[in-house]
Amino acid sequence: MGKCCSKRQDAQPIGYKKTEIGISSKYSNGGSLDRYTPNPNQVGAQARVDIIRPRPTPSHSQRANRIVVALYKYAARQSTDVSFEKGDRMEVLDDTERDWWKVLHLTTQQEGLIPWNFVAVERSVESEDWFFDDVSRKEAGKLLLVDENPRGTFLVRPSEHTPRGYSLSVKDWEEGRGHHVKHYKIKPLDNGGFYIATNQTFSTLPALVMAYSKNALGLCHVLAKPCPKPQPEMWDLGPELRDKWEMNRNQIQLIRKLGHGNFGEVWYGKWKNQIEVAVKTLKPGTMSSKAFLQEAAIMKQFRHRHLVALYAVCSKEEPIYIVQEYMCNGSLLDFLRTGDGKYMHFEDLIYIAAQVASGMEHLEGKQLIHRDLAARNVLIGEKNKAKICDFGLARVIENDEYCPKQGNKFPLKWTAPEAIVYARFSIKSDVWSFGILLMELFTYGQVPYPGMHGREVIEQVEKGYRMPKPVNHYLPDGVYRLMLQCWDGSPEKRPTFEYLNHYFESFNVTSEIPYLEPPTD
Ligand code: AMP
């Protein structure tokens, strides 16, 4: 899972206060383990906010010479990086770079670069198999509910709402209810400890986890096994391609054509016969390479777990290649119509909606307008993971494909009236499109405004017509009302993506269990 910010970079050993391991108090506000420091005046809401947003990176000297432990296996991709196995120990020599840290492997004695989000400071809470520092409640549920996980599989994650608090998510099974996930609040104590039930307090999170692993103590089940962690995302193909993303096209092998999109063909391929990638080949004349490179430079900065990663481009000759992260289940539209998406349950559809809203919330925060948000521009990976693609591309298209008045490829049915009529594209016109995407989603890929032509749609929508609630698909009134809000004639009255994300993230879930009754026997 992607780590867009340096959340773990200042982590320290569990059970140690910062002063005990010799880190000056000058930096004591920056560490993610601020959540474990006993003094509540040092932490609180601001510290929690800092955990979510990137913070200035302390200079090399503050963090070098730490020992980190590998959370995953990594195979070196180029001559400058170092391979390691899960559990290997490495000394950090230089961590000034955003994504690649220079280390000395303590077993192989090899020196080189490693992706920083594959490791954690030795003995820090982040190095625990059960600690997931970047998952939402919904994602935790998804990860735990896979069939292979037995009852009692669990994870601990930072609480989305309580500063310094955590949530414990446990897979459970009950007669008549089947498999489901229960979430317990882990509350912080003023003295730095933690508790779930007030009658059982613990000085550290690992102590709490250990106790509940021995005895359920009122939980739905004893903590049986940490949830398997998905491999973190990488934003570069290799260390030598970081910040240098014009790549030699000989390194790309095009293997299988995946489809034909707005911009040209899309291929499944491999980088250096090794790493799976998707390659968009741009139709000659689609855009000027200068404009595209400017845009791609911006797109490369957009890192979020629900935005498709742009790895590199080959723009020196036509056709331009855009090398992207490969998403194994293709577009959401195809997935819903002809793929496994046909069998998705309502809560899976909500999960997809939440992920798309989350990616769009990120673009909203960065003030980037998508302009072509639709189910065809959302890609699906493993376990219903959804990511938005082609953000930013619509802006640099030079031919008429995106000109409202010409060309039949303009996505009329997805575009807000003010964008069609006055070319007023904004994040609010993206919200309109999101409402249409929701309708595609909940009707399993039905064409919007069935039976109506584009021109008729514009005329009717201008007169106030809106797509009715579908009769042959389940759609709660609340979700339909939300769609209507997205299609408000006044852009400023449409909801924000922040609101939409929150709506779907917290949809249809009972609130977290605030405390446990002590066991009755
Ligand atoms: P597009 O040009 O984005 O409309 O893409 C055309 C088709 O190629 C889509 O419908 C997908 O099935 C497929 N595709 C595009 N990008 C990717 C990707 N990154 N990973 C996997 N499949 C993709």
PDB file of all heavy atoms in Angstrom, residues 258 260-262 266 278 280 324-327 330-331 334 377 379 390, ligand 1:
ATOM      1  N   LEU A 258      -4.012  -4.743 -24.504  1.00  0.00           N
ATOM      2  CA  LEU A 258      -5.087  -4.795 -23.514  1.00  0.00           C
ATOM      3  C   LEU A 258      -6.353  -4.115 -24.017  1.00  0.00           C
ATOM      4  O   LEU A 258      -7.455  -4.485 -23.644  1.00  0.00           O
ATOM      5  CB  LEU A 258      -4.658  -4.081 -22.223  1.00  0.00           C
ATOM      6  CG  LEU A 258      -3.553  -4.724 -21.407  1.00  0.00           C
ATOM      7  CD1 LEU A 258      -3.102  -3.788 -20.301  1.00  0.00           C
ATOM      8  CD2 LEU A 258      -4.032  -6.037 -20.815  1.00  0.00           C
ATOM      9  N   HIS A 260      -8.034  -0.489 -26.386  1.00  0.00           N
ATOM     10  CA  HIS A 260      -7.897   0.697 -27.199  1.00  0.00           C
ATOM     11  C   HIS A 260      -8.612   1.817 -26.471  1.00  0.00           C
ATOM     12  O   HIS A 260      -9.793   1.699 -26.183  1.00  0.00           O
ATOM     13  CB  HIS A 260      -8.569   0.434 -28.545  1.00  0.00           C
ATOM     14  CG  HIS A 260      -7.936   1.205 -29.633  1.00  0.00           C
ATOM     15  ND1 HIS A 260      -6.935   0.686 -30.419  1.00  0.00           N
ATOM     16  CD2 HIS A 260      -8.134   2.467 -30.034  1.00  0.00           C
ATOM     17  CE1 HIS A 260      -6.547   1.617 -31.278  1.00  0.00           C
ATOM     18  NE2 HIS A 260      -7.254   2.692 -31.066  1.00  0.00           N
ATOM     19  N   GLY A 261      -7.908   2.838 -26.119  1.00  0.00           N
ATOM     20  CA  GLY A 261      -8.548   3.902 -25.347  1.00  0.00           C
ATOM     21  C   GLY A 261      -8.645   5.190 -26.124  1.00  0.00           C
ATOM     22  O   GLY A 261      -8.442   5.228 -27.342  1.00  0.00           O
ATOM     23  N   ASN A 262      -8.947   6.260 -25.393  1.00  0.00           N
ATOM     24  CA  ASN A 262      -9.086   7.586 -25.986  1.00  0.00           C
ATOM     25  C   ASN A 262      -7.827   8.035 -26.700  1.00  0.00           C
ATOM     26  O   ASN A 262      -7.870   8.759 -27.678  1.00  0.00           O
ATOM     27  CB  ASN A 262      -9.345   8.600 -24.872  1.00  0.00           C
ATOM     28  CG  ASN A 262     -10.821   8.706 -24.573  1.00  0.00           C
ATOM     29  OD1 ASN A 262     -11.635   8.437 -25.446  1.00  0.00           O
ATOM     30  ND2 ASN A 262     -11.149   9.085 -23.361  1.00  0.00           N
ATOM     31  N   VAL A 266      -3.383   0.357 -25.598  1.00  0.00           N
ATOM     32  CA  VAL A 266      -2.830   0.083 -24.274  1.00  0.00           C
ATOM     33  C   VAL A 266      -2.309  -1.355 -24.278  1.00  0.00           C
ATOM     34  O   VAL A 266      -3.002  -2.267 -24.735  1.00  0.00           O
ATOM     35  CB  VAL A 266      -3.900   0.238 -23.175  1.00  0.00           C
ATOM     36  CG1 VAL A 266      -3.267   0.041 -21.800  1.00  0.00           C
ATOM     37  CG2 VAL A 266      -4.563   1.597 -23.247  1.00  0.00           C
ATOM     38  N   ALA A 278       1.805  -1.371 -17.561  1.00  0.00           N
ATOM     39  CA  ALA A 278       0.852  -1.106 -18.638  1.00  0.00           C
ATOM     40  C   ALA A 278       1.439   0.046 -19.450  1.00  0.00           C
ATOM     41  O   ALA A 278       1.958   1.007 -18.873  1.00  0.00           O
ATOM     42  CB  ALA A 278      -0.499  -0.716 -18.075  1.00  0.00           C
ATOM     43  N   LYS A 280       0.742   2.856 -22.380  1.00  0.00           N
ATOM     44  CA  LYS A 280      -0.172   3.546 -23.297  1.00  0.00           C
ATOM     45  C   LYS A 280       0.637   4.077 -24.441  1.00  0.00           C
ATOM     46  O   LYS A 280       1.623   4.791 -24.220  1.00  0.00           O
ATOM     47  CB  LYS A 280      -0.856   4.709 -22.580  1.00  0.00           C
ATOM     48  CG  LYS A 280      -1.767   4.231 -21.523  1.00  0.00           C
ATOM     49  CD  LYS A 280      -2.746   5.296 -21.121  1.00  0.00           C
ATOM     50  CE  LYS A 280      -3.895   4.574 -20.454  1.00  0.00           C
ATOM     51  NZ  LYS A 280      -5.002   5.407 -20.142  1.00  0.00           N
ATOM     52  N   GLN A 324       2.868   2.863 -17.067  1.00  0.00           N
ATOM     53  CA  GLN A 324       2.084   2.992 -15.839  1.00  0.00           C
ATOM     54  C   GLN A 324       2.085   1.696 -15.051  1.00  0.00           C
ATOM     55  O   GLN A 324       2.405   0.634 -15.581  1.00  0.00           O
ATOM     56  CB  GLN A 324       0.606   3.249 -16.177  1.00  0.00           C
ATOM     57  CG  GLN A 324       0.304   4.562 -16.779  1.00  0.00           C
ATOM     58  CD  GLN A 324      -1.192   4.723 -16.985  1.00  0.00           C
ATOM     59  OE1 GLN A 324      -1.931   3.740 -17.007  1.00  0.00           O
ATOM     60  NE2 GLN A 324      -1.630   5.954 -17.125  1.00  0.00           N
ATOM     61  N   GLU A 325       1.626   1.822 -13.853  1.00  0.00           N
ATOM     62  CA  GLU A 325       1.356   0.651 -13.018  1.00  0.00           C
ATOM     63  C   GLU A 325       0.315  -0.236 -13.724  1.00  0.00           C
ATOM     64  O   GLU A 325      -0.650   0.277 -14.283  1.00  0.00           O
ATOM     65  CB  GLU A 325       0.795   1.218 -11.714  1.00  0.00           C
ATOM     66  CG  GLU A 325       0.214   0.279 -10.775  1.00  0.00           C
ATOM     67  CD  GLU A 325      -0.361   1.038  -9.558  1.00  0.00           C
ATOM     68  OE1 GLU A 325      -0.506   2.284  -9.573  1.00  0.00           O
ATOM     69  OE2 GLU A 325      -0.659   0.348  -8.600  1.00  0.00           O
ATOM     70  N   TYR A 326       0.523  -1.550 -13.681  1.00  0.00           N
ATOM     71  CA  TYR A 326      -0.417  -2.474 -14.316  1.00  0.00           C
ATOM     72  C   TYR A 326      -1.497  -2.884 -13.322  1.00  0.00           C
ATOM     73  O   TYR A 326      -1.196  -3.266 -12.195  1.00  0.00           O
ATOM     74  CB  TYR A 326       0.334  -3.717 -14.804  1.00  0.00           C
ATOM     75  CG  TYR A 326      -0.574  -4.800 -15.301  1.00  0.00           C
ATOM     76  CD1 TYR A 326      -1.371  -4.599 -16.427  1.00  0.00           C
ATOM     77  CD2 TYR A 326      -0.656  -6.028 -14.642  1.00  0.00           C
ATOM     78  CE1 TYR A 326      -2.224  -5.590 -16.873  1.00  0.00           C
ATOM     79  CE2 TYR A 326      -1.502  -7.025 -15.089  1.00  0.00           C
ATOM     80  CZ  TYR A 326      -2.280  -6.802 -16.204  1.00  0.00           C
ATOM     81  OH  TYR A 326      -3.135  -7.777 -16.641  1.00  0.00           O
ATOM     82  N   MET A 327      -2.742  -2.784 -13.751  1.00  0.00           N
ATOM     83  CA  MET A 327      -3.873  -3.156 -12.881  1.00  0.00           C
ATOM     84  C   MET A 327      -4.552  -4.379 -13.512  1.00  0.00           C
ATOM     85  O   MET A 327      -5.143  -4.285 -14.604  1.00  0.00           O
ATOM     86  CB  MET A 327      -4.854  -1.988 -12.780  1.00  0.00           C
ATOM     87  CG  MET A 327      -4.249  -0.730 -12.202  1.00  0.00           C
ATOM     88  SD  MET A 327      -3.977  -0.826 -10.431  1.00  0.00           S
ATOM     89  CE  MET A 327      -5.640  -0.666  -9.809  1.00  0.00           C
ATOM     90  N   GLY A 330      -8.245  -4.601 -15.231  1.00  0.00           N
ATOM     91  CA  GLY A 330      -8.676  -3.671 -16.278  1.00  0.00           C
ATOM     92  C   GLY A 330      -9.633  -2.597 -15.778  1.00  0.00           C
ATOM     93  O   GLY A 330      -9.683  -2.284 -14.584  1.00  0.00           O
ATOM     94  N   SER A 331     -10.387  -2.046 -16.716  1.00  0.00           N
ATOM     95  CA  SER A 331     -11.213  -0.892 -16.351  1.00  0.00           C
ATOM     96  C   SER A 331     -12.423  -1.322 -15.527  1.00  0.00           C
ATOM     97  O   SER A 331     -12.946  -2.434 -15.680  1.00  0.00           O
ATOM     98  CB  SER A 331     -11.680  -0.152 -17.607  1.00  0.00           C
ATOM     99  OG  SER A 331     -12.799  -0.804 -18.162  1.00  0.00           O
ATOM    100  N   ASP A 334     -15.415  -2.462 -17.734  1.00  0.00           N
ATOM    101  CA  ASP A 334     -15.369  -3.847 -18.223  1.00  0.00           C
ATOM    102  C   ASP A 334     -15.547  -4.834 -17.073  1.00  0.00           C
ATOM    103  O   ASP A 334     -16.173  -5.881 -17.220  1.00  0.00           O
ATOM    104  CB  ASP A 334     -14.022  -4.134 -18.921  1.00  0.00           C
ATOM    105  CG  ASP A 334     -13.852  -3.285 -20.170  1.00  0.00           C
ATOM    106  OD1 ASP A 334     -14.882  -2.814 -20.697  1.00  0.00           O
ATOM    107  OD2 ASP A 334     -12.705  -3.078 -20.598  1.00  0.00           O
ATOM    108  N   ASN A 377     -12.406   5.105 -16.748  1.00  0.00           N
ATOM    109  CA  ASN A 377     -11.131   5.659 -16.305  1.00  0.00           C
ATOM    110  C   ASN A 377     -10.798   5.333 -14.848  1.00  0.00           C
ATOM    111  O   ASN A 377     -10.022   6.021 -14.199  1.00  0.00           O
ATOM    112  CB  ASN A 377     -11.102   7.174 -16.518  1.00  0.00           C
ATOM    113  CG  ASN A 377     -10.848   7.496 -17.982  1.00  0.00           C
ATOM    114  OD1 ASN A 377     -10.201   6.716 -18.680  1.00  0.00           O
ATOM    115  ND2 ASN A 377     -11.375   8.610 -18.447  1.00  0.00           N
ATOM    116  N   LEU A 379      -9.421   1.943 -12.773  1.00  0.00           N
ATOM    117  CA  LEU A 379      -8.871   0.605 -13.023  1.00  0.00           C
ATOM    118  C   LEU A 379      -8.967  -0.240 -11.764  1.00  0.00           C
ATOM    119  O   LEU A 379      -8.893   0.285 -10.649  1.00  0.00           O
ATOM    120  CB  LEU A 379      -7.412   0.710 -13.466  1.00  0.00           C
ATOM    121  CG  LEU A 379      -7.191   1.394 -14.816  1.00  0.00           C
ATOM    122  CD1 LEU A 379      -5.716   1.674 -15.043  1.00  0.00           C
ATOM    123  CD2 LEU A 379      -7.746   0.550 -15.962  1.00  0.00           C
ATOM    124  N   ASP A 390      -5.610   8.388 -15.879  1.00  0.00           N
ATOM    125  CA  ASP A 390      -5.751   9.457 -16.878  1.00  0.00           C
ATOM    126  C   ASP A 390      -6.058  10.821 -16.278  1.00  0.00           C
ATOM    127  O   ASP A 390      -6.529  11.714 -16.990  1.00  0.00           O
ATOM    128  CB  ASP A 390      -6.828   9.118 -17.917  1.00  0.00           C
ATOM    129  CG  ASP A 390      -6.337   8.068 -18.886  1.00  0.00           C
ATOM    130  OD1 ASP A 390      -5.151   7.697 -18.791  1.00  0.00           O
ATOM    131  OD2 ASP A 390      -7.127   7.629 -19.722  1.00  0.00           O
TER     132      ASP A 390
HETATM  133  P1  AMP B   1      -7.743   3.840 -21.807  1.00  0.00           P
HETATM  134  O1  AMP B   1      -6.868   4.348 -22.858  1.00  0.00           O
HETATM  135  O2  AMP B   1      -7.348   4.361 -20.460  1.00  0.00           O
HETATM  136  O3  AMP B   1      -9.196   4.026 -22.066  1.00  0.00           O
HETATM  137  O4  AMP B   1      -7.492   2.245 -21.697  1.00  0.00           O
HETATM  138  C1  AMP B   1      -8.057   1.282 -22.575  1.00  0.00           C
HETATM  139  C2  AMP B   1      -8.145  -0.050 -21.865  1.00  0.00           C
HETATM  140  O5  AMP B   1      -6.842  -0.513 -21.527  1.00  0.00           O
HETATM  141  C3  AMP B   1      -8.887   0.040 -20.532  1.00  0.00           C
HETATM  142  O6  AMP B   1     -10.234  -0.179 -20.712  1.00  0.00           O
HETATM  143  C4  AMP B   1      -8.251  -1.043 -19.705  1.00  0.00           C
HETATM  144  O7  AMP B   1      -8.910  -2.265 -19.922  1.00  0.00           O
HETATM  145  C5  AMP B   1      -6.854  -1.125 -20.246  1.00  0.00           C
HETATM  146  N1  AMP B   1      -5.912  -0.402 -19.379  1.00  0.00           N
HETATM  147  C6  AMP B   1      -5.588   0.912 -19.405  1.00  0.00           C
HETATM  148  N2  AMP B   1      -4.677   1.222 -18.476  1.00  0.00           N
HETATM  149  C7  AMP B   1      -4.396   0.074 -17.823  1.00  0.00           C
HETATM  150  C8  AMP B   1      -3.540  -0.262 -16.709  1.00  0.00           C
HETATM  151  N3  AMP B   1      -2.766   0.670 -16.107  1.00  0.00           N
HETATM  152  N4  AMP B   1      -3.517  -1.543 -16.286  1.00  0.00           N
HETATM  153  C9  AMP B   1      -4.301  -2.476 -16.890  1.00  0.00           C
HETATM  154  N5  AMP B   1      -5.129  -2.220 -17.921  1.00  0.00           N
HETATM  155  C10 AMP B   1      -5.191  -0.972 -18.388  1.00  0.00           C
END
